[in-house]
């Protein structure tokens, strides 16, 4: 649902590797939108609580992230896309899209990144359990939709995303189920 006719605020979230950056970058041009990559934004603004010593990465301060992105959203008159696996912790979206991907396919994508095996497994488990989708739903409710991208090309995911934004299609949270990966 749109807050006003002139501007739609879209969050694109999901486990690392599902295709958020790819889809958001294409979508930006299709709907003439500003694009905010959450991780880069947090880096630029220094929105960190500290460093996770074990895992070696900066822990993003979600309260500050939400505050700062809200200020930015208010400043920008155009459509705006917030992209990143923490975007669903931000405020005031019109639509939240969770990209999903079968863990077996995700595994091969994450293996191409320089992730440790524990980080790969952590992400596969998160995807199988639908963590991003359930977190997003708990925070934002029915404006959250999820797309199973497993057998779709980038173009097809993009088309579905645009139809969701236009209100022509609806993919309620709860229809994607990768739990069999956990028990197999
Ligand atoms: P994220 O931003 O969610 O971590 P990326 O957009 O970086 O994911 O995509 C991870 C990899 O998967 C990239 O190599 C990208 O080209 C590829 N990819 C993304 N979407 C698709 C798709 N629908 N089909 C095939 N490959 C895809
Ligand atoms: Mg990305």
């Amino acid at each position: 649902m749109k807050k006003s006719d002139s501007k739609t605020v879209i969050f694109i979230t999901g486990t690392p590797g599902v295709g958020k950056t790819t889809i958001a970058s294409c979508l930006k041009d299709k709907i003439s939108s500003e694009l905010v990559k959450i991780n880069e934004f947090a880096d630029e603004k220094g929105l960190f609580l500290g460093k996770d010593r074990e895992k070696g990465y900066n822990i993003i301060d979600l309260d500050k992230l939400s505050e700062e992105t809200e200020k930015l959203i208010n400043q920008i008159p155009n459509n705006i896309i917030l992209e990143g696996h923490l975007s669903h912790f931000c405020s005031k979206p019109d639509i939240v899209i969770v990209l999903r991907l079968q863990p077996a396919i995700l595994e091969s994508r994450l293996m191409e990144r320089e992730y440790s095996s524990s980080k790969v497994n952590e992400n596969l488990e998160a995807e199988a359990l639908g963590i991003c989708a359930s977190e997003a739903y708990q925070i934002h409710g029915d404006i959250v939709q999820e797309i199973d991208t497993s057998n779709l090309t980038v173009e097809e995911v993009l088309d579905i995303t645009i139809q969701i934004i236009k209100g022509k299609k609806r993919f309620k949270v709860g229809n994607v189920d990768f739990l069999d990966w956990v028990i197999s």
Side-chain angles (χ1 to χ4, degrees):
M1 220 191 340
K2 292 174 92 182
K3 269 196 288 270
S4 77
D5 285 336
S6 58
K7 173 175 166 180
T8 305
V9 180
I10 302 149
F11 293 175
I12 298 185
T13 187
T15 310
V18 293
K20 300 178 297 294
T21 305
T22 307
I23 295 302
S25 310
C26 301
L27 185 63
K28 171 184 187 287
D29 298 324
K30 295 259 183 185
I31 61 165
S32 48
S33 164
E34 300 290 330
L35 172 58
V36 179
K37 297 181 179 175
I38 292 289
N39 288 339
E40 290 176 10
F41 182 77
D43 271 347
E44 279 163 24
K45 298 251 172 195
L47 308 176
F48 300 116
L49 290 170
K51 210 170 184 109
D52 183 317
R53 289 216 192 112
E54 209 178 297
K55 294 176 182 162
Y57 59 70
N58 285 320
I59 303 163
I60 293 180
D61 183 331
L62 296 177
D63 290 335
K64 279 201 186 142
L65 177 71
S66 178
E67 228 172 82
E68 291 295 327
T69 51
E70 193 174 337
K71 276 190 216 160
L72 186 70
I73 289 169
N74 288 337
Q75 278 165 13
I76 293 176
N78 309 338
N79 293 334
I80 178 162
I81 303 167
L82 258 59
E83 176 265 318
H85 73 289
L86 299 174
S87 62
H88 57 279
F89 289 108
C90 298
S91 307
K92 307 267 177 71
D94 296 304
I95 300 164
V96 181
I97 294 175
V98 187
L99 299 181
R100 303 293 309 274
L101 183 64
Q102 275 170 14
I105 305 174
L106 184 59
E107 183 170 21
S108 60
R109 286 199 201 163
L110 293 180
M111 299 285 261
E112 285 172 22
R113 294 182 176 181
E114 285 175 6
Y115 283 3
S116 63
S117 59
S118 66
K119 191 170 176 185
V120 170
N121 280 328
E122 195 180 303
N123 282 307
L124 295 180
E125 255 175 51
E127 181 56 22
L129 297 173
I131 301 289
C132 279
S134 62
E135 284 174 350
Y137 187 77
Q138 277 173 32
I139 299 167
H140 301 291
D142 282 336
I143 60 166
V144 183
Q145 310 208 31
E146 61 178 346
I147 306 173
D148 181 359
T149 67
S150 305
N151 299 306
L152 302 175
T153 64
V154 170
E155 266 311 307
E156 286 168 335
V157 178
L158 197 55
D159 275 356
I160 293 175
T161 305
I162 291 168
Q163 299 217 42
I164 289 174
I165 293 166
K166 288 182 176 167
K168 291 185 177 167
K169 273 198 178 159
R170 196 163 151 59
F171 291 83
K172 285 171 68 171
V173 169
N175 291 326
V176 181
D177 183 355
F178 297 142
L179 278 175
D180 56 348
W181 183 86
V182 179
I183 49 177
S184 63

